[in-house]
Amino acid sequence: MNQSTPRTASTILTVLALTITAYFLPYVVSVLLLFFSGTVLAVLLDAITGTAQRYLPGGRTVGLLAMSAAVLLAVVGVVLWVVPQLVTQVPELVQQLPEAWQTLRTRIQNNALLQPMLARLGDPAQWLQSSGVLGRATSVVSGAFDLLFNAFVITFIGMYLVVAPDRYQAVAVYPLHPQHREKAQALFGDLGRELRFWLAGRAISMATVGVATALGLYLLGVPLAFTLGLLAGLFSFVPYLGPVLALLPALLIAFAESATLAGWVLLLYAIVQVLETYLLTPLVQQRTTAIPPALLITAQLLGGVFGGLLGILMAAPLAVTSATVFRRVYIEPRDQALARSD
């Protein structure tokens, strides 16, 4: 047999394996993101369950029942109070955004200094069509179905994990050597604590940003203040990028009223975000691992490339998880070894 035959076969098999991996990688990433999202949900539900356990007699079972009741009450509250306002305001928002854009274009056309910018920008409809965004927008129905299916899967994963977390942790550490299982259990505990505090911080920040923005827009007289404030609160779940996206519709609607009102709206969003970024977030998340903004934005962009919307949403908790694992597995053992050597 020619000596090059095994080498050729090995090369072919390697290329084939890489091709198969590249082909199935998006599907694997999607499944892993769904599982991680369910894990994040389980951490949130476990925090509610643990809080109920501390104040109610009856142990874990009573805590789970109290958590289920709290979630059910929250859902009923959203359905009874938030949904009716959204049903009224969202169609109006969808109708006003194109009108606001046309008003903005008209004002720019009447301004000699801004006319070159408008000519360079072109027609938004043609831009959307050429970029393929308009075509993707026609698949909203299928996208909504995918969103509901993903939410269904994430909910079930989260519920199963929170009911018996010790069982799933035991399964996860079983392949490890017995002397490493205790370290793995400690790492799981750290990850749960970090995600718990991160989620608590995000929830407080989202509520504060949403209420402050809605109240500020209402006082400024901006239409649809409730919906715009709700968008600001929800989008703030995604640090740095989310607030920018939440600003655009509010700024556009305000600019349709007057440039002065748009300036006040821009100032309002800037003040809210500065307070949230430099005052509120450091206070509520001082017990979690700090992620530099540049790294977090990069993680969000990568999450969008590989995981779409769910990848963007999970980029921050994934970054917190990765930073915690890196600290426990590499940084702390290295520092301990250096301390012993000194």
Side-chain angles (χ1 to χ4, degrees):
M1 178 183 297
N2 191 339
Q3 293 182 354
S4 64
T5 300
R7 183 180 303 173
T8 303
S10 176
T11 302
I12 294 175
L13 290 175
T14 301
V15 172
L16 182 61
L18 292 175
T19 303
I20 294 175
T21 302
Y23 179 80
F24 286 103
L25 183 61
Y27 304 100
V28 174
V29 170
S30 298
V31 172
L32 292 178
L33 274 176
L34 285 176
F35 181 79
F36 181 76
S37 302
T39 304
V40 173
L41 176 61
V43 170
L44 175 62
L45 298 178
D46 185 70
I48 301 174
T49 302
T51 302
Q53 279 184 255
R54 286 193 294 270
Y55 296 100
L56 297 175
R60 182 80 179 175
T61 302
V62 174
L64 289 171
L65 291 176
M67 178 271 294
S68 302
V71 172
L72 181 60
L73 287 176
V75 172
V76 171
V78 169
V79 171
L80 294 180
W81 183 64
V82 178
V83 171
Q85 300 192 56
L86 292 180
V87 169
T88 303
Q89 293 192 10
V90 168
E92 188 177 351
L93 177 64
V94 173
Q95 180 182 359
Q96 285 193 19
L97 284 178
E99 297 175 358
W101 173 253
Q102 291 301 326
T103 302
L104 177 62
R105 284 178 58 88
T106 301
R107 292 187 176 182
I108 293 177
Q109 287 174 344
N110 295 332
N111 191 313
L113 296 177
L114 298 179
Q115 284 180 359
M117 182 187 70
L118 183 64
R120 182 175 300 179
L121 184 63
D123 187 359
Q126 296 179 359
W127 179 82
L128 290 173
Q129 186 174 7
S130 62
S131 64
V133 176
L134 193 62
R136 288 192 290 270
T138 59
S139 62
V140 170
V141 175
S142 61
F145 177 79
D146 292 339
L147 181 63
L148 291 176
F149 176 77
N150 290 342
F152 180 80
V153 172
I154 291 170
T155 301
F156 266 82
I157 291 176
M159 293 300 295
Y160 276 114
L161 289 177
V162 77
V163 168
D166 295 337
R167 179 187 305 174
Y168 292 100
Q169 285 190 18
V171 172
V173 302
Y174 181 78
L176 300 177
H177 192 277
Q179 66 179 2
H180 297 309
R181 291 176 185 173
E182 185 176 350
K183 295 181 180 179
Q185 292 283 3
L187 178 60
F188 283 139
D190 283 350
L191 291 175
R193 180 185 62 82
E194 292 282 343
L195 286 176
R196 192 178 302 115
F197 283 117
W198 185 86
L199 286 171
R202 280 293 93 197
I204 295 173
S205 296
M206 291 169 65
T208 304
V209 169
V211 171
T213 303
L215 181 60
L217 293 175
Y218 175 78
L219 294 177
L220 289 174
V222 178
L224 309 174
F226 176 83
T227 300
L228 294 173
L230 181 62
L231 286 177
L234 292 176
F235 279 27
S236 64
F237 181 81
V238 180
Y240 304 110
L241 295 183
V244 176
L245 296 177
L247 169 65
L248 296 179
L251 195 61
L252 191 60
I253 290 178
F255 208 100
E257 299 288 332
S258 68
T260 303
L261 182 60
W264 283 112
V265 168
L266 182 61
L267 180 61
L268 169 67
Y269 274 70
I271 292 175
V272 171
Q273 290 307 316
V274 167
L275 293 177
E276 190 271 338
T277 301
Y278 295 102
L279 179 62
L280 184 61
T281 297
L283 287 177
V284 300
Q285 292 190 348
Q286 57 185 347
R287 299 182 64 179
T288 61
T289 302
I291 307 297
L295 293 181
L296 189 53
I297 293 175
T298 303
Q300 292 168 352
L301 296 176
L302 290 175
V305 170
F306 291 102
L309 176 60
L310 189 59
I312 296 175
L313 293 176
M314 290 295 107
L318 269 173
V320 172
T321 301
S322 302
T324 304
V325 172
F326 183 73
R327 173 173 55 83
R328 282 300 302 266
V329 174
Y330 177 73
I331 298 296
E332 292 181 358
R334 183 202 61 181
D335 292 344
Q336 293 173 2
L338 290 176
R340 286 194 300 267
S341 64
D342 293 339

